[in-house]
Every structure is written in C-alpha cells, then in structure tokens.
Amino acid sequence: MSTSSPKKSNDKSLQTEGCVDTYHLWVFHNEKPKAGRRLKLLEADEIVFALPLIYRLISLADFNVRAEWFVDLELEERNSHYIKLSESLSALNQQRKGVADLTKALAESNRLLNRYFSDYGWRMVRKELSQIKKRKKKSHIEISNDLVMQLKEYMAANQIDTFDQAIDSLLSDQRTLVQLELKEAE
C-alpha cells in the first residue's frame, strides 16, 4: 500500500513533486557535475539576504551584461519569465513579512529562479549570497591603537591567536571575577 508522503531517509535530496524535502536543490539545465557540493536553491532563512541581491541581478538590463548567467530565451519568453519571477518574489517577500507559511511561495519562486538562471549563473548567485551571509555574521568596531597594542600583548602572553579569542577570554575572566566577588559577599 503506497502513501502520498515519501519515506524519510538519510538522503536530504528526497524530492516530492519537484520540491526537496529538507533542501531545495537546483535542477541542472546541462549535465549535473559528478563531484562537488550540491547546488541549493533559496531556503527560508536566506530570503532576507537573498531578495535584494536577486532583484538586482534579475533586471532586464543585467541580462545583456551577464548573458551567461541566464537561460538563453527568446525576448518575449525572457520578459514573461521576468514578470512571473518578479511577481513571485514580491509575493514571497509579502508573505515573509506576515505570519503566513512560506513553503508554497518559496517553492514557486525557486522553480522560477531555476528556469531563469543558468547553472553557472545560479552558482555565481550562491557565491555572492554566501559572501553577504559571511559579512552579516561579523561586526566591525573601532578601537584605539593603544587598546589594539594591549590586546596584542595579552594575546602573546596567553598564546591566543585571534582578537575574538582574546576578547572572549577577557570577558570570561571578568565573569569569573564577578562570580567570585558575589560568593565572597555572601
């Protein structure tokens, strides 16, 4: 007796009607690479970072600048795909702002993205998206050169490699001192 839902397995590429169970995987236009990482489509947690990038890249003006990034289509078909993709991304963005389930809207946007970008183009989009996500994880603070020198001395004395580790160590030491002072005060 067959059921409508697929069985779970360790393979995260399990597909159900064109959508991937856990990941949304790229469907290659040309021959699928034999090695390397799987190429993913958008995931729900990437929408905030990805939409501005994708809106910038899908413009019809960029079509001529980065022709190899897009599937080769006739002008009318390209314009039609552009309109459908823009509408789908707008709907996805609106649903993201609300409390609606993004599954269907994300699946539709991913399907259209897969039809719009070439294999090479989507790989470049993922590369740019990865860079954006990396930049969002790091913060830059300005500190005086005197503090930098003191941190470097502390790092050398304590065999610490990075500023992150040095600051973490100092904060950890501070927490320990506060806890000791609290115990002594009891």
Side-chain angles (χ1 to χ4, degrees), residues 90 97 113 123 129 135 145 176-177:
S90 292
K97 291 176 183 175
L113 286 166
R123 188 170 280 109
L129 184 56
R135 277 185 239 118
N145 285 336
T176 304
L177 285 174

Side-chain angles (χ1 to χ4, degrees), residues 3 16 37 51-52 70-71 81 114 123 125 129 131 133 144:
T3 60
T16 308
R37 290 185 178 173
L51 285 180
F70 306 100
V71 174
H81 274 42
N114 206 147
R123 188 170 280 109
V125 170
L129 184 56
Q131 290 300 315
K133 287 167 58 176
S144 69

Side-chain angles (χ1 to χ4, degrees), residues 79-166:
N79 290 342
S80 172
H81 274 42
Y82 172 77
I83 291 167
K84 288 177 188 173
L85 180 56
S86 295
E87 289 171 350
S88 177
L89 291 172
S90 292
L92 179 63
N93 194 29
Q94 289 303 315
Q95 287 184 15
R96 176 192 64 79
K97 291 176 183 175
V99 292
D101 181 27
L102 298 175
T103 308
K104 288 182 182 178
L106 182 58
E108 177 63 12
S109 292
N110 276 335
R111 186 182 67 77
L112 292 168
L113 286 166
N114 206 147
R115 292 171 66 191
Y116 197 75
F117 284 96
S118 68
D119 297 342
Y120 172 77
W122 188 251
R123 188 170 280 109
M124 295 298 102
V125 170
R126 290 300 311 182
K127 192 183 248 184
E128 286 192 36
L129 184 56
S130 176
Q131 290 300 315
I132 290 169
K133 287 167 58 176
K134 254 188 233 176
R135 277 185 239 118
K136 297 284 183 192
K137 286 182 182 177
K138 296 194 177 224
S139 296
H140 297 276
I141 57 173
E142 290 187 25
I143 58 175
S144 69
N145 285 336
D146 292 342
L147 283 176
V148 170
M149 295 308 294
Q150 288 177 19
L151 268 174
K152 285 183 178 180
E153 289 171 9
Y154 178 81
M155 289 166 61
N158 293 286
Q159 298 179 337
I160 296 174
D161 297 326
T162 66
F163 287 112
D164 279 357
Q165 292 171 341

Side-chain angles (χ1 to χ4, degrees), residues 5-56:
S5 64
K7 293 179 183 176
K8 296 280 182 184
S9 73
N10 290 337
D11 183 15
K12 292 186 179 179
S13 68
L14 190 61
Q15 293 194 9
T16 308
E17 296 177 24
C19 283
V20 178
D21 187 38
T22 304
Y23 297 148
H24 299 280
L25 295 179
W26 181 260
V27 178
F28 286 89
H29 300 284
N30 299 316
E31 188 174 322
K32 184 178 178 180
K34 302 209 182 334
R37 290 185 178 173
R38 295 177 178 171
L39 192 56
K40 296 187 300 183
L41 286 162
L42 289 183
E43 294 178 357
D45 63 340
E46 298 174 322
I47 294 171
V48 174
F49 305 121
L51 285 180
L53 171 66
I54 291 172
Y55 276 128
R56 182 171 48 86

